[in-house]
């Protein structure tokens, strides 16, 4: 195992331990922005109140949650999901065999690359369990009339007789609109975004928080599956790949249809098509789009996007083919299509013009541009301080002692972003226009709050930091504020000369 990987694994273990030992701190940070109470989640799931079947087919006879052997057959809205996942798995297997012809691949421990067992999606012993509910009104900039989103996150779980339940590596997120325009308050007026935000901040009744339960509220389903695990071998370090897919609800057909992933740039297709490369460069560097790109609120047009993403972890800090934008910015190795899409001159010129207007908050260098190009994508975000490829594995309320479960409910990235999300809810509740901007995914934007200072969520052990503070060279203006807490020092975790990780000082 390489030094960089050893450090990343050690950080993940320590951060996981820190998160599980500070459950009260995590609960406080997520108060008003997420429902993670194990007793309430158990009640909503066991009572067949907020199961997938109840939300998609409220008229269904209440005979308990559906196991996966019945779920996709009983709910026609989901019929397109299993074949789409099967097709992605077959493509993945073909790519793996072409890339590593000497390695075996299949389901079970006897293979070099161990695949996700598709039988879990047709088994009478598995079902999706409600593992958390997350307020995403911070995404209201995507569709203001909906006031953002509410996400119900389900974890695939195996039940084997009287044995303890086993959580399996797949999440199924049912994304609802935060508001349906037809919703009314007691006085007959439409429910406002301000009212919805106030209900969450007041930790109101869950029925008010979730809103209506009908077709008008459905937006999409997001799936995240650990496709494979490949132990360290003579050919490569340990690697685990995750498949991300999105299925958008079509009200006309009443089904969830395969859709592009938001901001998931189709690197191979863009690099291979000269016209598409040119169009993408001109679109992203246009002043208005570059400003939203810097703020983290950009919405890249669908013609540049992919319908699936395979996310390798760990990806490390250095630019490599494991990262979604690799080869698109000058200075990296050439990608699939040869020359990069963005030269240094392209980026520097666009940033200079933007800086003259005072537009930029985060990106102040080519390296900052490159990092943002990674973290606006679904796969780039999932590679940022996640727990095994999941930012919200969910609450394991099936454990004997959920608060002490080995699997923590969320990653440092998720927890560290809650202050920004609460700030947006507070603005909504006060009738103000929220600031939807966000910093880099690796560094939470706290907007002046000191709540995260010194914690593992911002500048504590394992946090990303600027190596220039350690005397490694000229500071990069995009990262100069990335410091370490007292008692920690910024050390290189890879060959990168810009970004390191905070560790205990050693002599």
């Amino acid at each position: 195992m390489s030094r960089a990987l050893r450090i990343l694994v050690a950080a993940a273990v320590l951060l996981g331990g820190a998160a599980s030992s500070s459950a009260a701190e995590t609960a406080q940070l997520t108060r008003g922005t997420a429902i993670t109470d194990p007793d309430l989640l158990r009640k909503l799931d066991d009572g067949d109140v907020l199961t997938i079947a109840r939300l998609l087919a409220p008229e269904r006879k209440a005979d308990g949650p559906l196991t996966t052997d019945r779920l996709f057959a009983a709910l026609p809205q989901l019929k397109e999901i299993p074949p789409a996942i099967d097709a992605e798995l077959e493509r993945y297997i073909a790519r793996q065999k072409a890339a590593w012809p000497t390695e075996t691949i299949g389901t079970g421990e006897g293979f070099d690359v161990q695949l996700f067992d598709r039988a879990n999606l047709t088994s009478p012993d598995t079902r999706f369990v409600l593992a958390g509910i997350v307020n995403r009104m911070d995404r209201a900039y995507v569709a203001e009339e909906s006031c953002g989103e509410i996400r119900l996150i389900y974890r695939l779980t195996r039940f084997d007789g009287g044995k303890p339940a086993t959580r399996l590596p797949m999440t199924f997120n049912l994304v609802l609109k935060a508001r349906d325009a037809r919703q009314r308050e007691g006085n007959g007026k439409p429910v406002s975004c301000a009212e919805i935000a106030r209900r969450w901040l007041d930790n109101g009744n869950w029925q008010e928080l979730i809103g209506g339960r009908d077709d008008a509220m459905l937006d999409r389903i997001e799936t995240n599956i650990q496709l494979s695990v490949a132990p360290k071998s003579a050919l490569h370090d340990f690697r685990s790949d995750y498949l991300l897919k999105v299925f958008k609800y079509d009200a006309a057909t009443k089904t969830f249809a395969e859709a592009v992933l938001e901001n998931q740039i189709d690197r191979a297709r863009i690099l291979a098509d000269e016209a598409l490369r040119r169009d993408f460069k001109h679109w992203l560097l246009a002043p208005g789009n570059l400003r939203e790109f810097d703020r983290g609120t950009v919405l890249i047009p669908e013609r540049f996007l992919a319908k699936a993403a395979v996310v390798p972890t760990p990806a490390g800090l250095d630019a490599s083919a494991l990262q979604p934008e690799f080869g698109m910015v000058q200075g990296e190795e050439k990608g699939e299509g040869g020359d990069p899409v963005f030269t240094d001159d392209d980026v520097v010129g666009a940033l200079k013009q933007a800086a003259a207007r005072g537009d930029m908050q985060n990106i102040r260098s080519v390296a900052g541009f490159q990092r943002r190009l990674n973290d606006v994508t679904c796969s780039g975000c999932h590679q940022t301080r996640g727990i095994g490829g999941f930012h919200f594995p969910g609450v394991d309320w099936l454990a004997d002692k959920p608060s002490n479960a080995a699997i923590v409910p969320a990653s440092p990235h998720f927890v560290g972003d809650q202050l920004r999300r609460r700030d947006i809810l507070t603005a909504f509740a006060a009738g103000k226009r929220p600031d939807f901007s966000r910093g880099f995914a690796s560094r939470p934007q706290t907007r002046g709050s000191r709540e995260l200072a010194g914690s593992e969520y911002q500048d504590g052990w394992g946090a990303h930091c600027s190596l220039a503070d350690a005397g490694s060279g000229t500071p990069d203006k995009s990262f100069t504020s990335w410091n370490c807490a007292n008692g920690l020092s910024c050390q290189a975790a890879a060959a990168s000369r810009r970004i390191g990780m905070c560790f205990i000082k050693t002599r």
Side-chain angles (χ1 to χ4, degrees):
M1 183 182 288
S2 68
R3 178 177 181 270
L5 184 56
R6 284 197 302 272
I7 293 174
L8 288 170
V9 171
V13 171
L14 185 59
L15 290 175
S20 61
S21 66
S22 58
E25 178 187 11
T26 300
Q28 182 60 34
L29 287 171
T30 60
R31 180 177 174 80
T33 57
I35 297 176
T36 59
D37 177 70
D39 292 331
L40 177 56
L41 293 171
R42 181 194 299 273
K43 176 183 176 181
L44 296 176
D45 188 272
D46 281 351
D48 196 19
V49 177
L50 288 184
T51 60
I52 297 169
R54 178 60 56 211
L55 289 165
L56 297 186
E59 73 287 349
R60 186 182 66 89
K61 182 180 178 181
D63 59 352
L66 293 177
T67 50
T68 55
D69 62 324
R70 297 190 295 146
L71 180 72
F72 296 102
L75 301 177
Q77 301 99 316
L78 306 179
K79 66 180 181 180
E80 295 190 23
I81 295 179
I85 290 175
D86 279 341
E88 293 294 349
L89 274 162
E90 291 301 327
R91 283 190 283 269
Y92 176 78
I93 292 169
R95 290 195 300 268
Q96 286 294 113
K97 287 181 176 179
W100 312 102
T102 62
E103 288 197 328
T104 59
I105 181 169
T107 302
E109 295 183 359
F111 295 91
D112 296 322
V113 179
Q114 299 160 21
L115 287 173
F116 173 78
D117 188 353
R118 278 181 270 188
N120 288 323
L121 294 179
T122 56
S123 170
D125 299 320
T126 61
R127 70 176 178 88
F128 289 98
V129 172
L130 182 65
I133 304 172
V134 180
N135 181 297
R136 293 308 307 269
M137 291 181 71
D138 62 294
R139 285 179 42 77
Y141 64 88
V142 178
E144 293 193 18
E145 68 278 6
S146 300
C147 304
E149 308 161 354
I150 306 298
R151 298 183 181 181
L152 290 93
I153 301 175
Y154 301 86
R155 182 70 180 238
L156 186 60
T157 303
R158 175 177 295 282
F159 296 84
D160 187 7
K163 296 180 181 179
T166 304
R167 285 157 51 105
L168 301 174
M170 177 177 180
T171 58
F172 186 107
N173 301 347
L174 181 58
V175 183
L176 307 178
K177 299 171 186 176
R179 177 183 70 172
D180 173 9
R182 300 172 303 174
Q183 286 178 273
R184 293 292 185 269
E185 296 186 37
N187 58 11
K189 293 183 178 181
V191 174
S192 65
C193 296
E195 174 59 23
I196 295 173
R198 283 193 290 268
R199 291 172 182 176
W200 276 86
L201 292 171
D202 292 342
N203 283 272
N205 184 289
W206 68 266
Q207 291 174 308
E208 291 186 327
L209 301 184
I210 304 305
R213 285 177 283 168
D214 55 34
D215 279 13
M217 299 295 289
L218 300 177
D219 187 77
R220 66 188 183 277
I221 285 170
E222 302 170 340
T223 60
N224 184 1
I225 303 173
Q226 185 186 52
L227 277 181
S228 69
V229 175
K232 177 179 172 60
S233 72
L235 299 175
H236 52 71
D237 279 327
F238 167 84
R239 176 170 160 178
S240 183
D241 288 349
Y242 294 79
L243 171 67
L244 307 182
K245 292 284 290 179
V246 169
F247 302 86
K248 189 78 173 175
Y249 187 68
D250 185 334
T253 63
K254 294 188 179 299
T255 58
F256 288 91
E258 213 175 354
V260 297
L261 282 71
E262 183 177 295
N263 290 349
Q264 182 63 40
I265 52 177
D266 193 333
R267 178 180 72 185
R269 189 163 55 88
I270 292 173
L271 289 175
D273 186 323
E274 185 60 38
L276 203 60
R277 294 156 61 97
R278 183 179 61 251
D279 289 349
F280 183 53
K281 177 172 71 173
H282 290 164
W283 184 89
L284 188 56
L285 295 184
N289 297 330
L290 185 62
R291 176 179 182 273
E292 296 306 316
F293 180 65
D294 171 73
R295 289 164 53 83
T297 56
V298 72
L299 294 173
I300 299 173
E302 289 191 7
R303 69 181 184 275
F304 301 121
L305 305 180
K307 286 189 175 181
V310 174
V311 188
T313 60
L317 300 180
D318 285 331
S320 75
L322 300 181
Q323 297 171 333
E325 65 76 40
F326 183 70
M328 302 191 79
V329 179
Q330 183 179 345
E332 302 170 333
E333 294 181 22
K334 291 184 178 180
E336 292 92 335
D339 294 333
V341 177
F342 303 97
T343 66
D344 284 358
D345 288 344
D346 292 331
V347 177
V348 170
L351 292 180
K352 186 176 295 185
Q353 291 181 23
R357 297 190 304 269
D359 281 352
M360 309 306 281
Q361 297 179 359
N362 300 290
I363 303 171
R364 295 183 172 88
S365 63
V366 174
F369 179 89
Q370 174 191 337
R371 181 165 285 255
R372 179 60 100 195
L373 196 56
N374 255 314
D375 79 19
V376 296
T377 65
C378 296
S379 52
C381 179
H382 275 253
Q383 289 172 333
T384 304
R385 302 186 75 193
I387 301 173
F390 299 95
H391 277 298
F392 192 89
V395 178
D396 187 9
W397 52 261
L398 290 159
D400 291 336
K401 296 181 179 180
S403 62
N404 296 323
I407 302 177
V408 296
S411 74
H413 169 84
F414 173 89
V415 179
D417 196 42
Q418 297 309 302
L419 294 176
R420 182 188 67 90
R421 298 182 190 182
R422 189 180 302 117
D423 179 70
I424 290 171
L425 287 182
T426 301
F428 265 128
K432 299 177 181 178
R433 173 72 181 177
D435 175 5
F436 294 110
S437 67
R438 66 172 177 85
F440 291 104
S442 347
R443 192 75 177 180
Q445 179 177 336
T446 60
R447 301 184 181 180
S449 171
R450 306 301 298 174
E451 290 182 68
L452 298 180
S455 72
E456 64 265 28
Y457 307 122
Q458 181 177 333
D459 54 7
W461 203 99
H464 290 185
C465 52
S466 170
L467 277 175
D469 293 338
S472 61
T474 304
D476 189 303
K477 293 181 179 180
S478 294
F479 315 117
T480 49
S481 64
W482 296 20
N483 301 312
C484 294
N486 291 335
L488 303 179
S489 65
C490 191
Q491 301 176 33
S496 172
R497 289 177 292 179
R498 298 185 180 94
I499 304 299
M501 298 178 76
C502 298
F503 296 110
I504 297 173
K505 291 182 178 179
T506 56
R507 295 182 179 179

